[in-house]
Amino acid sequence: MTAALPLSKFRSLETPFYFYDTALLDQTLCAIKEQTVSRPAFHVHYAVKACTNPKVLTHIVNAGLGADCVSGGEIQACLDAGFPANKIVFAGVGKADWEINLALEAGIGCFNVESVPELQVINELATLKNCIARVCFRINPDVGAHTHSNITTGLAENKFGIAMQDMEHVIALTRSMSHVHFSGLHFHIGSQILQMDDFAALCLRINELQDRLEQQGFGPVEHINVGGGLGIDYADPDAHPIPDFQSYFQTYASQLKLRPGQQLHFELGRAIVGQCGSLITRCLYVKEGSEKSFAIVDAGMTELIRPALYHALHRIQNFDSQGSEMPYDVVGPICESSDVFAADYPLAETRRGNLLAIRSAGAYGETMASQYNCRRLPASYTTEDLT
Ligand SMILES: *Cc1c(COP(=O)(O)O)cnc(C)c1O
């Protein structure tokens, strides 16, 4: 895959910038289609917050996926990119009135509701517009995922979602409201999950909850949304450029007891776009400390905040050196001590001007870029742009 990077084109471009390998993105989307085409109940929505680059969105629209949004801005970006409104779902714990109104006016497919007060506001705003909002409830399944604590979202006490014991109460409440239609249950247990057991545990919990609902006379719901969370191989992106979608979808197919006619929705973000993106940067200086060497590069936490925010480790490659590997602290220029991409990282001997790639940066990279230190937002290029 590295061979596919248009290195000679990179050299004439100002760094830092994002490069999206859209050929790999298309292959990833194909791999998803292979798993879902024979399972007509399965519908995949792309979790847009992972990457909202318009060129990337176009490929995802063309593959026929829906979109999972968490803000009015994302809904607008998806409408602009050509996602059909009825394939857009809107999640998030704090939806502002203008965002709810935008979603109602666009006629989105479903609101993923995370609290009772939110449900009441959606009902009020839908009443004013004389329309019916389709809602589904995000239930907190109390299933722990084996991932970083900052990205675990399914434990019992959490800002996200509605507690399991309140499920029947909120569904009953919906029936007393005139302008909301209850259509499903939503779950999301976390991100960067690589153990299929975690998804299997979610399936078992959903099976229990569905049985419980039916015993209490709440008929089968129209759809179940299991969120996203499938992880990628940050350590070796070339060995695993495409996530193991077969095991992922097979886990749900074999463990989740879907009712006849019920739809199963997925909201994958990182697994779709993570591996196709690289942050391309140049080494500005190599500073020899007394104990170690610092490779100071022109990208920083303003372009890719994951290492500073989650202690994430991305693979880093030097395209311009065949020298033997030495340990470097690869750091950015931002005035924060946490602006470190990797500590004691083995890199081929690195010099000023060398071109480096920080890999697997397609998800939660460009979307989290900031202008701290009056930095410019990073440019981005795709395979089409550079061929
Ligand atoms: C962030 C998020 C996702 C996507 O998570 P990934 O780990 O990128 O797949 C899906 N659903 C919800 C509700 C989210 O908040």
Side-chain angles (χ1 to χ4, degrees), residues 46-59:
Y46 166 58
V48 171
K49 72 176 188 284
C51 179
T52 36
N53 186 297
K55 300 171 212 169
V56 168
L57 290 183
T58 299
H59 284 256

Side-chain angles (χ1 to χ4, degrees), residues 101-259:
N101 281 327
L102 172 71
L104 290 171
E105 279 157 27
I108 65 157
C110 192
F111 289 84
N112 291 344
V113 172
E114 309 218 11
S115 67
V116 169
E118 179 194 332
L119 178 69
Q120 287 162 335
V121 171
I122 291 174
N123 186 54
E124 281 164 25
L125 295 175
T127 304
L128 290 176
K129 293 202 180 297
N130 200 21
C131 62
I132 304 284
R134 294 168 57 81
V135 299
C136 108
F137 292 111
R138 177 167 181 175
I139 305 295
N140 212 321
D142 196 17
V143 172
H146 297 93
T147 184
H148 191 275
S149 61
N150 284 7
I151 49 179
T152 308
T153 56
L155 297 176
E157 194 78 307
N158 206 299
K159 79 166 178 174
F160 298 103
I162 292 166
M164 281 186 286
Q165 65 264 27
D166 299 334
M167 176 176 68
E168 286 85 354
H169 167 69
V170 291
I171 296 172
L173 198 60
T174 313
R175 293 186 170 169
S176 70
M177 295 179 171
S178 54
H179 289 75
V180 286
H181 169 79
F182 168 63
S183 71
L185 297 178
H186 174 227
F187 305 87
H188 176 66
I189 56 172
S191 205
Q192 183 54 18
I193 297 168
L194 291 165
Q195 298 185 21
M196 294 304 133
D197 290 355
D198 290 335
F199 299 120
L202 174 62
C203 290
L204 294 185
R205 181 49 57 80
I206 297 173
N207 292 342
E208 279 169 29
L209 292 175
Q210 288 230 76
D211 290 345
R212 196 174 104 186
L213 276 186
E214 286 167 17
Q215 277 157 17
Q216 305 199 20
F218 295 95
V221 302
E222 292 160 31
H223 75 261
I224 300 286
N225 181 335
V226 292
L230 177 62
I232 61 170
D233 187 349
Y234 282 99
D236 198 350
D238 292 323
H240 302 110
I242 297 178
D244 185 1
F245 291 118
Q246 189 176 359
S247 301
Y248 176 74
F249 288 110
Q250 181 56 34
T251 299
Y252 283 102
S254 64
Q255 305 289 315
L256 191 69
K257 294 190 188 129
L258 276 191
R259 307 315 197 228

Side-chain angles (χ1 to χ4, degrees), residues 48 52 57 69-80 90 98-99 102:
V48 171
T52 36
L57 290 183
C69 298
V70 294
S71 73
E74 285 187 0
I75 293 172
Q76 193 59 58
C78 285
L79 294 170
D80 294 347
F90 183 18
W98 73 266
E99 295 177 303
L102 172 71

Side-chain angles (χ1 to χ4, degrees), residues 11-33:
R11 297 201 185 283
S12 58
L13 299 170
E14 220 179 293
T15 49
F17 61 87
Y18 273 92
F19 173 71
Y20 295 102
D21 179 346
T22 39
L24 176 60
L25 174 59
D26 288 342
Q27 288 167 29
T28 306
L29 292 163
C30 267
I32 291 174
K33 194 166 265 179

Side-chain angles (χ1 to χ4, degrees), residues 303-317:
E303 286 71 44
L304 179 65
I305 201 175
R306 296 191 68 257
L309 194 59
Y310 309 124
H311 299 290
L313 180 59
H314 289 251
R315 187 162 147 58
I316 306 173
Q317 273 174 289

